[in-house]
Amino acid sequence: MAARHPSESDPLRGSLDLLILKALSLAPMHGWGVGLRIQQISRGRLEVNQGSLYPALQRLEHRGDIESDWQSTENNRRARYYTITRQGRKALGEEVDKWKRFADTIAVILES
Amino acid sequence: MSLLKGLVARTRSVFAAHASEARMEEEFCFHLNMETERLVSAGMAPDEARRRALVAFGGLDQHREAMRDGRGARLLADFTSDIRYALRAIRRSPGFAIAVAMTLGVGIGVNGIVFGYVNTMLFRPMPVNNAKELVGVFTLDTRSGSPGLLAYQDYLDFRDRSGAFAGLAGETGVPLNLVAAAIGSAATADMIWGDMVTENFFSVLGMRPAIGRFFTAADAPRGGNPFAVLSYDCWRQRFHGDSSIVGRVVRINGSEFTITGVAPSGFKGLRTFGFWPEMFVPVGMHNVVMPGSKQLLEGRGAGWIYVVGRMHPRWTMQRTERAASVFAAQLASTYPGSNENFGVTLLPGGSGFDHPGFVKPRVLVLASAMGLFASIVTLLIICANLANMQLARAAARTHEIAIRLSLGCSRTRLARQLLAEALVLAIPGTVLAMMLVRLSPWLEQFLVPHLQFRVGLGPTSDYRVALFTAAVALLAVLLFALMPALRVTRPSLAPTPASVIGARGRGARPRSGIRGMLVVTQLAMSVVLLVGGTLFVRSLFVARAIDLGFDASNRLLLSVNIGLQSYDGARGRRFYDDVLTRTRALPDVVSAAWAFPVPFDTYGRGVGLYVASARTNSKNGTFSSNSSVVSDDFVKALGLRLEAGRELAAGDTSGVPRVMIVSRSLATRLWPGRDPIGQRARQGSASGPEVMVVGVVSDASFLSLGDQTPDRAYLPIRQNYREWQTLVIHTRGEPMTALPRIRAIVASIDPSLPPFGVMTMKQSVESGFSTSRMAASVAGFFAALALLIAAVGLYAVVAGSVTERTREIGVRLALGSTPSGVLRFIMSGGARLGAWGLAIGLIFSIAVAKLMGGLLYGLSPSDPVTFIVAPAVLAIVVLIATYLPARRAVKLDPIAALRSE
């Protein structure tokens, strides 16, 4: 049954949430914008499967890290905009710390 | 709780699924459009851009699925697969499923039915507007504190001048001689129970008629408005729900009344205990409805009206009572003569009320308590048994469960699976239960005997009963499913290969321990019910053997109330004489007489007898005895034994010295050690007319079996005119065959006089057993049911242990145990459970039997026969329930048994 969760087998799982939160911490955005932003920040080095953003967004919203509502875009289309919540900012901070510690640890091991 | 929450979330997700599905598609579409546009603006051909956008997005369906999972639709899918799996499991063992559904259905249904009765008695709401504002208003003697009914003039003052109530209405119950015809049938005469009501009665209650209209102010007293409103039941039963009923004319007490409307269904008068009124007539017709009640509307102080008041909006009962009491004090000072010590008291009236001085019949309260107790105990037994069956089944399925657990199925998942199975089993059970509840009015005919009037008791099935039944069903499912589900999946119990011979000590015991306990509980509870049932049934037999003091065989009874037809004394006497003469002339009549009350009448009468030398038991110095007013020949007609003196004769009439016949007990009480014949007493008071004893008859049971007050004086009707009499006819053969001729005689003298209470004396005596018989059938039913279920439970436990120990038994047999040894070994386990159940059950039985003492006739609650019979029956059941599976064990082939694992 675990096979039915594509996100679970995604190597970016966990870090995807982190990236989304980071992207949204800059400004509220719709899903497409989030994907674009991640690509821009990584300067094209990170190829995110765009569709997998949505289950992740849903998961984050369910957890209360982000909120969403329907707004119109500048060229007058209806889109769902996601906003990071206070809890989301806190989680982002913690995740970033954790990630850095983890990266440091790996770096220490690799350099030894 | 989390189970409930999960269920709610799942349900919600089903409804929300459609909307969120659409939103999801819109979001995906937006994304793809934006991406395509981005690529096009970067110089890509639109078709190619679209393709690339889709590729970048990845598998659409895959993402859709992922989103759905996140929403909980997945849980729903799991749930439906649980149900499907449960259905498959049940299909594999249909016998088990049928047994569970039936047991559960009967258990829940019985609870629903019993609650239906309790609902009628305690919670029946009146179909009125804002019932919480209603209060019952009674007088209160400020000195003695005893409550009473208001007089009409006091009621009017309260209504018009006190300001304490927003509205005040009154009613009183009256017997009515009704002659009416439903469309297309001949008119029939019947005596029914009605309510004489103030004209504002229905408007104060805030009721809407089902048909037509209620009374108006124009129907006020002395208005002479012969209008009547039917109760819903009366309209349905007597007039077949005829929709053109308004305007129909019926005869009530000899006068014509026009029907103006029909009360809403479910309205059965104000009183909780009492007769259900079939018809409502305005108080303005009091002279027709209650002949000879000229002073009814006059007078103050003591009265006759049941008053119901509607409180002012937002007034509390305390405030209303204070206001009413202030006004009552004014009335007391204004009318010091009639209203001395005048006060008022209120009762909450939303679901009806009774006279505050009325003590709820002990028998009814006890019977309902017994009924509730028995049904709840039965349900517990049923749940215990179902839990047991689940456990037994789970034990048999250990293999399957072990495989599923080892394949990584989580414990909660497995528990949910078992719960789903229980739910699937519960649904047909609940349906069966609801059907039983619907059938309860029909079942009632078997359990409750025929009464002269319909008493205000009977099962109702409304939303309360449905809710209660549903709650019981839910509880039962949780009890019987959850416990085994949790138990079976407990990791420590996850099946291990059973050790071979050691199973006797370690492996088997703990698992059957809880089942054994359940069986002991079931057996103990069935002992309690068994003792209760046996006591009732025994009491019934003992009661039948009691000497009634009169002869009940070949006697026909038929009552009339000529007072309701406005007969005066002279016309009444003529009527009584005419009927007697013509009845006695019939060829199949041995003798006939008028008498009231006759044995086992619902009514009693008393007479005060003053004898200077005798002890008194009443205020005015007389000895108060039960009395009957009778015609000549009554000793013969009733089959009483004349022990001394003579029978009353046609010559004992007005104008000659008053005479009477007394019962043996009364004679001894008034004139101990003397010959009662020729003794004199004064009737009513020390200055009353002198009355001489001319005969002594055997003591007879009049009120109930084993009547504790056999004192009775028989006064001749010619000297003590009464308007309500019962004709007692001693017939040669079957009494009912004489009935048409006797009815014809009455009808030929007065066609609009309805005889009522027609039955044989045997039937009347039987109705004296009614409470006891009802209790016996209820208790017997429950006891049999409980015992049967307990036996099934015991059987299941013993059979289960045989299955579990197949190898062990095989080894024993192979090592040379004799079959009888194995039989004894297996049965001793069951017997031990039986003994425990019996011991615990007997302790509880003693307490319950004491409680039941008031319902038993001529039988001690510690009746030795009962306490021998009930355990004996249990022992036999235990023996059978253990022998059958044990015999199977003995027949095992040792070699096959050893190979069985």
Side-chain angles (χ1 to χ4, degrees), chain B residues 572-642:
Chain B
R573 275 185 189 94
R574 226 171 25 250
F575 172 82
Y576 287 143
D577 282 347
D578 279 359
V579 173
L580 271 192
T581 320
R582 293 170 64 172
T583 304
R584 284 170 182 161
L586 291 174
D588 48 357
V589 168
V590 181
S591 61
W594 290 104
F596 188 82
V598 292
F600 294 90
D601 249 321
T602 335
Y603 307 88
R605 276 210 177 122
V607 64
L609 294 173
Y610 175 78
V611 176
S613 60
R615 211 159 42 79
T616 70
N617 61 357
S618 63
K619 271 187 233 159
N620 64 356
T622 60
F623 182 85
S624 174
S625 164
N626 293 311
S627 73
S628 289
V629 165
V630 300
S631 73
D632 54 295
D633 255 6
F634 88 95
V635 174
K636 246 194 295 171
L638 241 67
L640 289 161
R641 289 187 297 275
L642 189 63

Side-chain angles (χ1 to χ4, degrees), chain A residues 1 4-7 30-33 35-36 39 47-58 62 70 73 75 77-82, chain B residues 23-24 26-28 30-38 53 55-59 62-63 65-71 74 77-78 408 413:
Chain A
M1 53 181 99
R4 284 174 58 191
H5 288 280
S7 54
H30 41 68
W32 180 69
L36 204 62
Q39 224 172 354
E47 194 69 33
V48 179
N49 181 339
Q50 293 179 11
S52 64
L53 280 174
Y54 290 94
L57 283 166
Q58 189 184 33
H62 193 72
W70 291 83
T73 63
N75 42 12
R77 276 189 238 193
R78 231 164 76 89
R80 190 176 198 165
Y81 275 80
Y82 295 90
Chain B
R23 277 201 299 272
M24 178 176 79
E26 188 182 349
E27 201 172 6
F28 285 8
F30 171 81
H31 182 108
L32 292 170
N33 287 343
M34 291 298 282
E35 184 68 10
T36 311
E37 276 168 34
R38 190 179 69 89
V55 168
F57 197 82
Q62 207 182 20
H63 298 312
E65 267 311 298
M67 300 274 286
R68 282 182 201 127
D69 276 3
R71 271 206 313 269
R74 191 190 139 66
D78 278 359
R413 189 77 188 70

